Every structure is written in C-alpha cells, then in structure tokens.
Amino acid sequence: MIFVLALLLCCRSAADHSGISQPASVQSVELGDPATIQCHIQGSLDRVWYRLTSAKALQFVASFTSRYSHGEFPEDLKGRYSVDADGTNYHLKISRTTWTDVGTYYCGVVELDRVHFGRGTSLVLKGANKSRDSVVQRPPSQSVQPGESVALECSVLHMDRCTAEHTSVMWLKTPKKSPAEIVHWSGSDERRCTGKACVYQFHLKILSSEDAGTFYCVAAACGEVLLGGGTELDFSICK
C-alpha cells in the first residue's frame, strides 16, 4: 500500500507534462444527487480513474481503452458509474451518489509501464449526517497582516463508532478568485484529544494577499465527510 501511494504521488508530479487537467480540486454535491468529475486529457492514450478513500486505500474505479472505445468498471460500481470519453474529455459520472463514493478521484493515462495522474478532485457529499459526529471551527473570521503566523483550529466531536484513529482531517482553501484547493493534511501529531473530542491545528504564515481566503476543516471518518463552517482570513495592511 505504501508503495502504491508513493507511486501515485510520484506520477502526480509529472501530470503537467502529460497534458492532464482536473479543473476542480474539490467538488460538493447533495447526497443522492448525480456527480460529474471532470478531466481533460491531450492525446489518444489509455485512461484510468482511481479513488483514494478516507481510509487512505487506493481503489480502481474505471479504465477506458481508446483503441476499442471500451470502458471497464469493478462489479460493485457497474450501473452507477460511467465515463464520458469524447475527444479530450474523460469525465467520470456517478448517477446517484452514496456515502461510499466519498474520496479523492485521480484521472490518469497509461504510457507503457507508467501511469501519470492528474492533481485529483475530492468529492464531498452534503446531506443528512449518518452519525452524530460534528466539526466546529472558531473563530469564523480573522484579520491578518503580512508576515503574520496564524493557527487555524477545528474540533471534531466523535459521538458514534468512529474514533480519532479512524479519522483523517484535511484543510481546504477557497480563494476569492480561484478554485478551492487542498492545502494541508493534518497528521496524528497535530491533534489533541480529550475524551471523545479532538482538536486539530494547522499553522501557516501569511506572506501576501494571495495567502488569504476561507479555510475549511474537513474530517473524513468511516465513509462520511463532515465539513466545518470555515474560517475567513481577511488580509489587511496597517497604514
């Protein structure tokens, strides 16, 4: 598994050279609604989709052979999953989303004995929570200045079967004029737990206005993704 993840990260570094584009780094849909995860690929190469689950497991999702215009899917995904392979488009379609669809999807091309992946698109589902777990971010907003260090914090309250050991936390940044992006994964050394509550911190330094935006804490546990309310960092320059 470690080797597979290392291979994925290695191949992602070459994505720009392979003509692979995944426009959205984060995509949010309502539970039960359809979803289309976009990918654009230059050239007529064999193509694949993989999903990195919240448990850090890498799963095969789809493959498409350009020569025969034929797609293949795992048995448990047939009927709900399809691909729109038209020219440079290689979009993954989910007819009806369920909690099992949560994860980060990587579009890739196969070249000889190597696979090159795009930067990934994280699928977040909104809807009625399966559990009573919750994510709280404070404060909702904060003014920052150039050169200032900021500690973002979110609290994850585990009320059901999922514990901190089965929870992964990432931070999303939504700039005002560009798409959302994943900026940090919180490790076990960045959390403090007391009872059923765990506090995660993300430290960053503000260098310019480009570092400002709204930061969301996202907790993935036991197939469910919970989104915090966000903390907006407002860039200001003292006169």
Side-chain angles (χ1 to χ4, degrees), residues 17 34 45 63 122 132 140 145-146 195 228:
H17 302 289
L45 300 170
S63 66
S122 294
R132 294 173 294 155
Q145 298 178 12

Side-chain angles (χ1 to χ4, degrees), residues 160-173:
D160 289 322
R161 70 187 189 282
C162 290
T163 62
E165 288 71 24
H166 299 95
T167 302
S168 60
V169 170
M170 67 178 178
W171 293 85
L172 305 179
K173 175 186 175 184

Side-chain angles (χ1 to χ4, degrees), residues 83-102:
V83 293
D84 178 10
D86 180 16
T88 60
N89 296 333
Y90 183 51
H91 305 330
L92 180 67
K93 292 189 172 184
I94 306 174
S95 61
R96 181 180 57 83
T97 53
T98 69
W99 290 112
T100 60
D101 300 319
V102 168

Side-chain angles (χ1 to χ4, degrees), residues 59-106:
Q59 297 177 340
F60 166 72
V61 172
S63 66
F64 183 83
T65 304
S66 301
R67 180 180 300 178
Y68 303 106
S69 297
H70 177 68
E72 293 185 359
F73 306 87
E75 286 297 326
D76 59 331
L77 300 183
K78 287 182 178 178
R80 281 199 313 118
Y81 279 54
S82 62
V83 293
D84 178 10
D86 180 16
T88 60
N89 296 333
Y90 183 51
H91 305 330
L92 180 67
K93 292 189 172 184
I94 306 174
S95 61
R96 181 180 57 83
T97 53
T98 69
W99 290 112
T100 60
D101 300 319
V102 168
T104 302
Y105 290 77
Y106 293 94

Side-chain angles (χ1 to χ4, degrees), residues 148-232:
E148 183 177 356
S149 294
V150 178
L152 301 180
E153 187 173 285
C154 81
S155 300
V156 181
L157 181 61
H158 300 283
M159 297 298 293
D160 289 322
R161 70 187 189 282
C162 290
T163 62
E165 288 71 24
H166 299 95
T167 302
S168 60
V169 170
M170 67 178 178
W171 293 85
L172 305 179
K173 175 186 175 184
T174 56
K176 294 182 178 180
K177 298 182 180 180
S178 58
E181 59 180 336
I182 300 172
V183 293
H184 183 68
W185 286 88
S186 287
S188 58
D189 59 333
E190 297 175 299
R191 71 174 180 232
R192 306 188 313 273
C193 296
T194 304
K196 294 183 178 181
C198 290
V199 176
Y200 295 81
Q201 284 191 333
F202 169 36
H203 296 268
L204 71 158
K205 190 170 186 177
I206 303 300
L207 299 178
S208 69
S209 59
E210 293 183 358
D211 296 321
T214 302
F215 292 78
Y216 293 92
C217 173
V218 182
C222 299
E224 182 176 7
V225 172
L226 301 173
L227 186 68
T231 296
E232 182 180 4

Side-chain angles (χ1 to χ4, degrees), residues 22-90:
Q22 290 185 246
S25 57
V26 181
Q27 187 168 336
S28 178
V29 300
E30 293 287 342
L31 176 65
D33 283 357
T36 299
I37 304 175
Q38 294 188 357
C39 176
H40 305 282
I41 298 177
Q42 300 294 330
S44 56
L45 300 170
D46 291 345
R47 308 170 182 185
V48 294
W49 277 99
Y50 277 83
R51 175 176 62 207
L52 187 63
T53 69
S54 58
K56 298 295 189 297
L58 191 63
Q59 297 177 340
F60 166 72
V61 172
S63 66
F64 183 83
T65 304
S66 301
R67 180 180 300 178
Y68 303 106
S69 297
H70 177 68
E72 293 185 359
F73 306 87
E75 286 297 326
D76 59 331
L77 300 183
K78 287 182 178 178
R80 281 199 313 118
Y81 279 54
S82 62
V83 293
D84 178 10
D86 180 16
T88 60
N89 296 333
Y90 183 51

